[in-house]
Amino acid sequence: MALTTAQAETSLTVAVKRDRYSVDEKKFTFTTRRPAAQIVETGVKPDENFLPSPLLFESWDYSDGTYTVTLRQGVTFSDGTPFDANSAIAALRLYDKGKSDFLQIDQDSFQKLGDFEISFRSEKGSALVIENMTHRGTSLFGPSENRAENPVGTGPYLLDSYDPKQQITVVRNEGYWGDAPSVDKLTFRFIGDDNARMLALQNGEVDVIGEVTPQMMLSMPKDGSVVLHESRPVRYVALLANLNGAAPFDIIQDYKVRQALAWAIDRDTIASVLFDGRGVPAKGILPGWMFNLGDDHTNGFGYDPAKAGTILDAAGWTMGADGVREKDGRKLSLRLVAAYPNVSSVKPMPEMLDQMFAAVGIDIDLIEVDDSGVYGSTYLDTGEADLVDLSRYRRGGSLYGVRVEQQHRPDIPALQPLYLGHGVGWLQIHGPGPACGRNAVEGARSADP
């Protein structure tokens, strides 16, 4: 019997870049890393300013190093297990078995205070554990003999099928505790090539494409057949400097060189070109709207190549006849490696930086890498680069293309948390290693580039 319009199943096919899932229990990211399949949920979710708001956790308190959490009642995992104090503690313990120490919860500190109330402490005395739980990587899995084949969660979807490196399909969880999703079936196809992903959209093979790169935006059809949806800037493009490099990758240790680099970058032009006029020049690692920081939370740098030149002159880097500065017989030549996750995600930024730095007498040895593994193992881990160019996404934003006949579907905007945001144009420099994240946040408030 044919279904009526009201009964017809709604489906959506989304093309994303590559399959990033890991089913290794030490670094398990199946269904939680891009694309987030919405099978499992986090304790809290980010609000419009990325501050934690209730989800599976209804309320929480932090006092004298102890977190006290009241759980949402009436929630069940997809296998029927109640979400309560026992299953919440079990899920948090399961997360801790992974390689990540992101939450850093003291596993000996868990206490069941009631059927729907728990407490715990941080291993490091952190007051930000709840804030970190907004990250989808901290999603809570329910009991399962093999969560790589049968992920059990409290989310609005259930796993239907998974073909590694090809696609994953999820279907509506009819027993979901929250508002029912507007799409019955979601299929995410993994299409690594940017051009192929765009063609799949234009040819009607998919309804939506995620992970729209700067190069894709520049080549996007202008005939109205494809519509670009965007969010507030939540993606950043960064230039990182190796502060611990051994010769010949030690020039950047000179603070004056780093300062000159910062003043030599025309962020307005990069923001305009890199994201087809949609980018926003940033002052630091975080936009002002995030965490209610405000636009004046850091000063940032302007564009002043003359000032950059003056700084280098004062530091003893004199202009050579070939247009490259020298000091003590050494050329001011820096290796710039682009980029993470791949060079297409930041083009044409590397070439633009090359020209901007050349204008103040800095020679750039530009190396373009299209494999994140090579990028990490050959250059980032070994320190054999002065500068590295990367593109990062903060969770919760969206930048995706939709075929014009799909753009008025009311269910598509509801998928925003699945996609990736954008922003551009800042210079943040810190050294490689485990302290990078901490240094980046601290550096965002400092005057040292």
Side-chain angles (χ1 to χ4, degrees):
M1 181 177 69
L3 296 175
T4 66
T5 302
Q7 296 173 313
E9 179 184 75
T10 57
S11 63
L12 199 67
T13 301
V14 182
V16 294
K17 202 167 178 70
R18 60 187 177 87
D19 185 349
R20 301 176 176 89
Y21 295 147
S22 169
V23 295
D24 182 342
E25 281 296 328
K26 291 296 184 181
K27 47 184 178 180
F28 193 84
T29 61
F30 183 49
T31 76
T32 63
R33 197 170 183 183
R34 297 196 305 267
Q38 302 184 82
I39 292 173
V40 288
E41 297 177 302
T42 50
V44 293
K45 62 181 179 180
D47 68 8
E48 62 180 8
N49 292 315
F50 272 40
L51 297 171
S53 63
L55 190 58
L56 294 179
F57 293 178
E58 196 166 66
S59 63
W60 53 89
D61 181 60
Y62 176 74
S63 179
D64 298 327
T66 297
Y67 293 88
T68 303
V69 176
T70 300
L71 307 174
R72 185 181 296 277
Q73 299 186 36
V75 177
T76 59
F77 286 95
S78 56
D79 68 345
T81 301
F83 178 72
D84 56 17
N86 292 327
S87 58
I89 290 175
L92 288 167
R93 290 189 187 280
L94 179 61
Y95 171 80
D96 190 68
K97 290 181 179 179
K99 186 178 180 180
S100 170
D101 60 352
F102 187 55
L103 292 182
Q104 298 180 318
I105 295 176
D106 180 355
Q107 293 298 297
D108 295 326
S109 70
F110 282 114
Q111 290 190 30
K112 176 183 175 181
L113 306 179
D115 288 344
F116 295 95
E117 190 172 29
I118 65 173
S119 69
F120 54 83
R121 299 175 66 88
S122 165
E123 288 179 340
K124 307 295 182 181
S126 171
L128 298 175
V129 172
I130 298 296
E131 283 77 3
N132 287 338
M133 285 183 177
T134 62
H135 195 291
R136 63 175 175 252
T138 67
S139 297
L140 303 179
F141 284 86
S144 175
E145 291 185 3
N146 186 348
R147 57 178 173 161
E149 295 182 358
N150 179 33
V152 173
T154 61
Y157 287 95
L158 306 172
L159 181 65
D160 180 67
S161 64
Y162 174 52
D163 185 2
K165 311 302 181 184
Q166 299 299 317
Q167 67 180 42
I168 182 172
T169 298
V170 294
V171 295
R172 184 206 299 263
N173 178 5
E174 299 295 344
Y176 182 54
W177 61 269
D179 294 334
S182 54
V183 178
D184 295 309
K185 178 184 287 188
L186 278 171
T187 297
F188 296 95
R189 288 184 55 194
F190 302 115
I191 304 178
D193 184 83
D194 295 339
N195 293 328
R197 201 158 63 254
M198 179 65 76
L199 285 174
L201 179 67
Q202 293 177 265
N203 294 337
E205 298 171 28
V206 300
D207 303 307
V208 181
I209 58 172
E211 304 183 64
V212 178
T213 67
Q215 287 294 300
M216 291 171 72
M217 280 194 288
L218 294 175
S219 62
M220 190 168 289
K222 309 299 182 184
D223 60 2
S225 60
V226 173
V227 177
L228 185 71
H229 291 255
E230 57 188 291
S231 73
R232 292 180 295 183
V234 291
R235 167 180 174 176
Y236 65 84
V237 176
L239 187 64
L240 281 70
N242 180 6
L243 301 186
N244 303 311
F249 306 109
D250 56 345
I251 291 178
I252 209 75
Q253 295 176 22
D254 185 342
Y255 165 73
K256 294 297 183 181
V257 173
R258 302 198 304 275
Q259 193 176 38
L261 287 168
W263 286 106
I265 297 175
D266 184 351
R267 293 163 183 77
D268 288 302
T269 297
I270 290 177
S272 176
V273 171
L274 194 58
F275 287 96
D276 196 26
R278 295 176 174 85
V280 178
K283 296 179 180 179
I285 191 169
L286 300 176
W289 60 263
M290 192 174 288
F291 308 127
N292 294 320
L293 289 171
D295 291 335
D296 59 351
H297 72 283
T298 186
N299 293 327
F301 290 86
Y303 173 53
D304 192 338
K307 183 172 184 175
T310 300
I311 291 171
L312 291 172
D313 287 337
W317 291 98
T318 59
M319 188 68 77
D322 59 355
V324 178
R325 292 178 180 271
E326 300 179 10
K327 181 179 181 180
D328 299 329
R330 187 178 186 183
K331 294 281 189 181
L332 184 45
S333 181
L334 305 175
R335 174 180 287 178
L336 192 164
V337 177
Y340 182 90
N342 51 69
V343 72
S344 65
S345 66
V346 295
K347 269 186 169 295
M349 183 177 171
E351 291 80 6
M352 296 174 70
L353 290 173
D354 187 4
Q355 295 174 11
M356 293 172 190
F357 294 152
V360 298
I362 300 175
D363 176 60
I364 293 296
D365 172 24
L366 179 58
I367 296 178
E368 297 187 343
V369 180
D370 207 39
D371 184 296
S372 59
V374 173
Y375 167 89
S377 62
T378 305
Y379 300 104
L380 195 61
D381 295 345
T382 64
E384 294 186 4
D386 298 287
L387 301 164
V388 291
D389 192 3
L390 60 80
S391 175
R392 286 284 193 180
Y393 295 90
R394 299 186 185 90
R395 60 196 180 278
S398 60
L399 179 62
Y400 55 98
V402 182
R403 282 190 294 124
V404 69
E405 61 264 34
Q406 297 284 358
Q407 65 172 313
H408 298 300
R409 285 180 54 174
D411 46 294
I412 289 181
L415 294 174
Q416 284 196 4
L418 301 177
Y419 301 102
L420 312 173
H422 70 284
V424 64
W426 60 283
L427 173 70
Q428 176 64 39
I429 299 178
H430 53 81
C436 277
R438 181 177 67 254
N439 292 344
V441 174
E442 293 172 352
R445 296 183 180 273
S446 75
D448 184 352

